Amino acid sequence: MNPRSLNSNIFLTGFSGSGKTIVGRKVASLLGWRFVDLDSEIARETGKSVEVIFAEMGELYFRQLESDCLKKISIGKHQVISTGGGVVVEKLNRDIMHQNGVVVCLE
């Protein structure tokens, strides 16, 4: 599949340290698309780092923020989106990604 023919997004998943950010920035640059780091977007919107959100509000709260942010970002097109390592745990998140682009798992 030629990503340039996509009118959607590329979602990068994988464990922490698998290279999602590095690969995502490179792919976005090559395609001339926007790069989005989901955790950075959550931090920007809340004014708190992911670590602080986890510590102060807990994982369930963070996962809800993550799903809400993913849903909002997925509306856009021509984006390479680096997701958090746990985003694929929720079926809703997997559905959002599959409906709005191609999902690539880095190992």
Side-chain angles (χ1 to χ4, degrees), residues 53-54 57-67 90:
I53 296 169
F54 260 85
M57 307 301 283
E59 183 176 1
L60 289 178
Y61 181 81
F62 172 77
R63 295 298 173 202
Q64 185 60 55
L65 286 175
E66 185 177 56
S67 293
E90 282 292 322

Side-chain angles (χ1 to χ4, degrees), residues 34-88:
R34 177 177 177 231
F35 172 74
V36 179
D37 181 277
L38 190 60
D39 285 348
S40 295
E41 286 294 310
I42 293 167
R44 186 185 60 75
E45 287 186 11
T46 63
K48 297 180 179 184
S49 70
V50 170
E51 294 79 12
V52 169
I53 296 169
F54 260 85
E56 292 181 356
M57 307 301 283
E59 183 176 1
L60 289 178
Y61 181 81
F62 172 77
R63 295 298 173 202
Q64 185 60 55
L65 286 175
E66 185 177 56
S67 293
D68 293 345
C69 191
L70 178 67
K71 191 181 306 181
K72 187 178 353 175
I73 289 171
S74 295
I75 294 169
K77 302 294 180 196
H78 299 124
Q79 304 174 106
V80 178
I81 302 166
S82 172
T83 66
V87 76
V88 296

